[in-house]
Amino acid sequence: MTTQTATITTLEPRTPYQPETANGVLAAYDGFSDTLLHEPDWLAACRDKSRDVVARRGLPTAKLEGWKYTNILPLVKTINQSGTVKITHKEGHGIVVNSLAGMLGEDWVQQAISAPLSDKEYNAENTLWHLGNLFLRDGLVIDVPANTEAKTPLDLTMVADGGLANARLIIRLGANARLTVIEHHTGTGSYWKNIQTQIILADGAHLTHVRYQEDSEQAVHTQLTHSVLGKDSGYEGIVFSTGARLFRNQLHGVMNGAGAVCSLSAVNLLTGQQHGDTTILVDHMAPNGNSNQNIRTVLDGTAHGVFQGKVHVHQPAQKTDGYQLSKSLILNEGAEMDTKPELEIYADDVKCSHGATTGQLDEGPLFYMRARGIPEAQARALLIEAFVDEAFDRVADETIQSVLKDKVKAWLVS
């Protein structure tokens, strides 16, 4: 009688992470860390923790659910040196604007930087946030005291100079404070600009936050904005993107206070081989909250657009009103758009809707205008303007509306 022995092979668990993809940025950090002198223990501990995360995970890959439409690796995995983000600004009356380095001794700034982001949040895979912690140096802290209303916008210009350029913005508004912040993103040549923005709004505060992303056509632009809203506060986020070879705008709103309002508008104008990704999560945590997402994407050439958006209504958030709409216009058959709108609702008494459309220019109005002597190129431009302008309908500031519309016209003739 022959006895047979079975061999059992234990398979390693499958993982979407590829640690080796971080070799370049970790090499860049080795050089960067040599410049860090006499920093506080809490910040050194924060860096060490984030370095462990980046080394264990590597950079985000398309195997991750929240990144399956956007592959940054071909453009960034060979980057092995750090760069800088030069931030210039005009002083705002009654507003504290200081360098990040100059505010590290403030308890609330320490708490903001050290606060973890949950890995369980939808589309909030946060390796790039940890990457920002690792290279934490460039940045600003903006603090508006309670009951202060800034009469003029605070303009920031953020210019990258090459390599992996990280920056952190921390914005805090006291109770009933009001502020408009306008970011202008530019640069020349090839670089990876990785921005983290933390926003803390006390009860009744209101922030209008505009971002004009016009980075170099060879650049990669990734940014994550994390906003926490108190009772009856308001966050109006407006993103206008025409720059960068690849960009990802990731926005996360946490509506902790009852009656909070979170409005997110984005216009992405893409051409050539550009790739543009807008990824949004709004967490309704309290009753009577109102959120809306209004996204417009225009794609020409072989451009690729992505919209991933989710409204998550937690059980206590009764009487929530959540609206989400992405509309995309494809001007060339080589362009591509991926959309993934979602609702996750655990409350009974809510009013929520979501939708996404992708299509081409309507031939009917185009024929009508051409029949009345309007040249085809002009007619097409007028239709594209009308399509994009829908995203500006909710923008309260008429001056900002006007600038946005002028930028659309400039893109159409470029």
Side-chain angles (χ1 to χ4, degrees), residues 147-165:
N147 302 309
T148 299
E149 180 176 356
K151 301 299 183 182
T152 58
L154 178 64
D155 279 276
L156 310 177
T157 300
M158 306 178 71
V159 183
D161 69 352
L164 171 56

Side-chain angles (χ1 to χ4, degrees), residues 29 62 80 107 139 154 183 202 213 226 250 350:
Y29 178 69
N80 59 10
D107 288 342
L154 178 64
E183 300 178 25
Q213 190 279 102
H226 182 78
Q250 188 167 325
V350 300

Side-chain angles (χ1 to χ4, degrees), residues 156-215:
L156 310 177
T157 300
M158 306 178 71
V159 183
D161 69 352
L164 171 56
N166 288 272
R168 176 73 59 92
L169 295 178
I170 303 177
I171 304 172
R172 182 177 72 165
L173 272 62
N176 302 309
R178 300 182 71 88
L179 175 67
T180 295
V181 174
I182 302 177
E183 300 178 25
H184 305 265
H185 287 268
T186 62
T188 57
S190 176
Y191 54 85
W192 177 10
K193 183 186 286 184
N194 184 43
I195 308 294
Q196 299 80 44
T197 302
Q198 292 173 270
I199 297 169
I200 305 161
L201 302 182
D203 294 353
H206 187 277
L207 175 67
T208 298
H209 184 200
V210 184
R211 180 180 291 113
Y212 300 128
Q213 190 279 102
E214 298 167 310
D215 277 301

Side-chain angles (χ1 to χ4, degrees), residues 189-262:
S190 176
Y191 54 85
W192 177 10
K193 183 186 286 184
N194 184 43
I195 308 294
Q196 299 80 44
T197 302
Q198 292 173 270
I199 297 169
I200 305 161
L201 302 182
D203 294 353
H206 187 277
L207 175 67
T208 298
H209 184 200
V210 184
R211 180 180 291 113
Y212 300 128
Q213 190 279 102
E214 298 167 310
D215 277 301
S216 161
E217 62 184 12
Q218 291 92 40
V220 173
H221 177 110
T222 53
Q223 76 84 21
L224 197 164
T225 297
H226 182 78
S227 306
V228 179
L229 285 70
K231 180 181 178 182
D232 296 324
S233 66
Y235 175 73
E236 181 182 18
I238 303 158
V239 182
F240 179 85
S241 299
T242 59
R245 169 66 177 79
L246 179 150
F247 67 82
R248 176 174 167 107
N249 289 314
Q250 188 167 325
L251 309 167
H252 182 201
V254 183
M255 303 175 69
N256 279 341
V261 178
C262 182

Side-chain angles (χ1 to χ4, degrees), residues 42 48 76 83 106 109 117 153 163 166 168 170 191 237 267 278 308 311 318 325 375 397 402-403 405:
W42 68 266
D48 290 342
V76 304
E106 297 290 327
V109 174
L117 295 183
N166 288 272
R168 176 73 59 92
I170 303 177
Y191 54 85
V267 169
T278 298
Q308 300 180 109
V311 176
Q318 305 294 333
L325 179 62
D397 189 300
S402 178
V403 172
K405 292 180 179 181

